[in-house]
Amino acid sequence: MSSSVIKTALVTGASSGIGYAVVKELAENGFTVYACARRLDLLEQLSRGYEANKVIPYALDISNFEEIVQLKEYLSKHLPHQRLDVLYNNAGQSCTMPAVDVTNERLNQLFQVNVIGHMNITSQLCQFLINAKGTIVFTGSLSGVSVFPFGAAYAATKAAIHQYARVLHAEMKMFDVRVINAITGGVSTDIADKSPLPKSSPFYFPEGLKALEERKLMSAKNFPMSAETYAQKLVKDILSPRDPVDVYRGTLASVVSWLMMFAPYWLVEWVTFKKFKLDSVEKALGQKRETEKQE
C-alpha cells in the first residue's frame, strides 16, 4: 500500500452488509472512501456520520459498463495524485435455487454483477492502483470451493472470481499491487435469496421444498459472524504487509475449505445429503418412481 498522506479506497456494494461495514472500518482507519452502490440514499445516510468528504457517496450499477467508465472519469478528476490505495470488489447478488430452475435472465444478471462487473471495474481502475501500489480485494465465498445444494449458479460466479483473483495476483505483483481473495463463510447480512421455487421445478414437492428452505436458512443457523467483525478482520488484512492471496474469513470458512481440500468427494457429498435433507428428497423420488412402475 502507498504511504501517501491521503489514503483512498473505493468499495462497491456499500449500501448494506459487508460493504457498509467495510466503508465504516476503512474510514475509521484514516481512509477517504468512495462508497458505491445503486441506492444513493443509503450511501448519503452513511456519509452523514463522518466529516465532509470522508465518505463520498457514488451511485453505481456495477453491471453497467458505461457507468464504470464514467466512474473512472470521475476518479481521474478527483483522486489525489491519481492514486487509489484500495479497491474493494464487494457488490454481489445471491441465488438459492436448483441449478435447472435458474432462468437465462437471472443467470446473465448474476454473472454481470458477481463476475463481469468486478472484472470491468478492476481493469478500468487498475492504473490508479498501480500508481498507489495499492490493494485489490474480492469478496469470495465458501460456495466457490464447497458443495452447497441449490446454489450452483451463485457458486459458479464465486469460483470464477476466486480464479480471476488468483491469476490477477500473479500478474499485478510485478507492479507491487496486492490482491486479496476473501473466501467468506457465514456473515450476518441481508443477501439471502427469498425467491420462491417455481411450480415447474422438478423439486416442487414437499421434501424438495423443505430441503430448499433448509438451505436458505444455512447461514442464519450456523452462528454467522457480524459484518462489523468481518470488516475489522479484512481491513487488518489490507493494512498487513502479508500477501497470502486467499484469506478465510467468516464462520466455518477455514474448516470447510480444509475439508474440501482433503476429504474424498464421496464423503463431502454424503455429508451434504445428510445436512441439507437431500436424502429425504432422494427417498421421496425413489418412492415416486416405484409407484409409477406399479401403475
Side-chain angles (χ1 to χ4, degrees), residues 2-284:
S2 78
S3 58
S4 57
V5 176
I6 301 175
K7 297 185 294 184
T8 57
L10 186 144
V11 180
T12 64
S15 60
S16 64
I18 288 173
Y20 189 93
V22 166
V23 169
K24 294 177 69 175
E25 189 65 24
L26 286 168
E28 290 166 11
N29 277 273
F31 286 82
T32 293
V33 187
Y34 295 88
C36 302
R38 290 178 298 174
R39 291 285 303 275
L40 189 60
D41 57 329
L42 296 176
L43 299 176
E44 290 173 341
Q45 179 181 343
L46 171 60
S47 70
R48 284 195 287 269
Y50 296 90
E51 61 187 72
N53 296 321
K54 186 65 174 176
V55 174
I56 303 168
Y58 189 95
L60 175 70
D61 178 355
I62 196 173
S63 68
N64 188 320
F65 181 69
E66 291 182 2
E67 290 192 18
I68 293 174
V69 173
Q70 291 167 6
L71 170 63
K72 178 183 178 181
E73 294 171 353
Y74 170 84
L75 292 175
S76 68
K77 297 175 183 177
H78 293 87
L79 274 179
H81 310 295
Q82 302 288 288
R83 297 156 75 99
L84 182 64
D85 292 281
V86 176
L87 169 60
Y88 204 115
N89 288 299
N90 171 71
Q93 291 183 357
S94 183
C95 180
T96 305
M97 189 69 61
V100 295
D101 293 316
V102 181
T103 65
N104 179 67
E105 180 182 14
R106 190 167 187 191
L107 192 61
N108 283 329
Q109 181 65 14
L110 198 65
F111 271 86
Q112 283 290 338
V113 173
N114 292 4
V115 182
I116 297 171
H118 297 309
M119 292 179 175
N120 282 333
I121 200 168
T122 298
S123 63
Q124 288 297 306
L125 305 188
C126 69
Q127 189 59 54
F128 300 137
L129 288 140
I130 291 171
N131 295 344
K133 297 182 179 179
T135 300
I136 303 169
V137 186
F138 296 90
T139 301
S141 172
L142 277 183
S143 295
V145 299
S146 188
V147 182
F148 294 146
F150 309 126
Y154 178 76
T157 66
K158 289 304 180 180
I161 278 297
H162 291 181
Q163 195 61 16
Y164 177 75
R166 290 161 183 162
V167 177
L168 183 69
H169 178 275
E171 296 174 353
M172 297 305 291
K173 68 186 302 181
M174 293 177 278
F175 299 95
D176 294 322
V177 174
R178 296 162 68 226
V179 176
I180 297 174
N181 176 41
I183 299 176
T184 302
V187 179
S188 183
T189 70
D190 61 355
I191 195 174
D193 184 9
K194 300 179 179 63
S195 303
L197 186 68
K199 292 184 178 180
S200 58
S201 172
F203 291 92
Y204 198 87
F205 54 93
E207 291 81 4
L209 291 165
K210 185 175 181 180
L212 178 61
E213 288 308 306
E214 184 73 15
R215 170 64 176 84
K216 288 183 177 182
L217 294 172
M218 178 184 69
S219 180
K221 292 174 67 174
N222 284 279
F223 308 101
M225 178 181 290
S226 71
E228 291 74 20
T229 299
Y230 179 91
Q232 290 169 6
K233 291 179 179 292
L234 258 296
V235 171
K236 283 183 180 178
D237 292 324
I238 292 168
L239 297 176
S240 168
R242 294 178 62 248
D243 189 22
V245 189
D246 292 340
V247 298
Y248 302 89
R249 300 290 178 257
T251 302
L252 296 177
S254 296
V255 173
V256 174
S257 294
W258 281 101
L259 175 66
M260 292 303 301
M261 280 190 275
F262 294 108
Y265 187 78
W266 67 263
L267 178 60
V268 172
E269 199 166 77
W270 182 84
V271 172
T272 299
F273 265 60
K274 293 295 181 182
K275 180 172 178 57
F276 295 102
K277 304 186 186 306
L278 295 185
D279 49 353
S280 298
V281 176
E282 186 176 44
K283 181 179 179 180

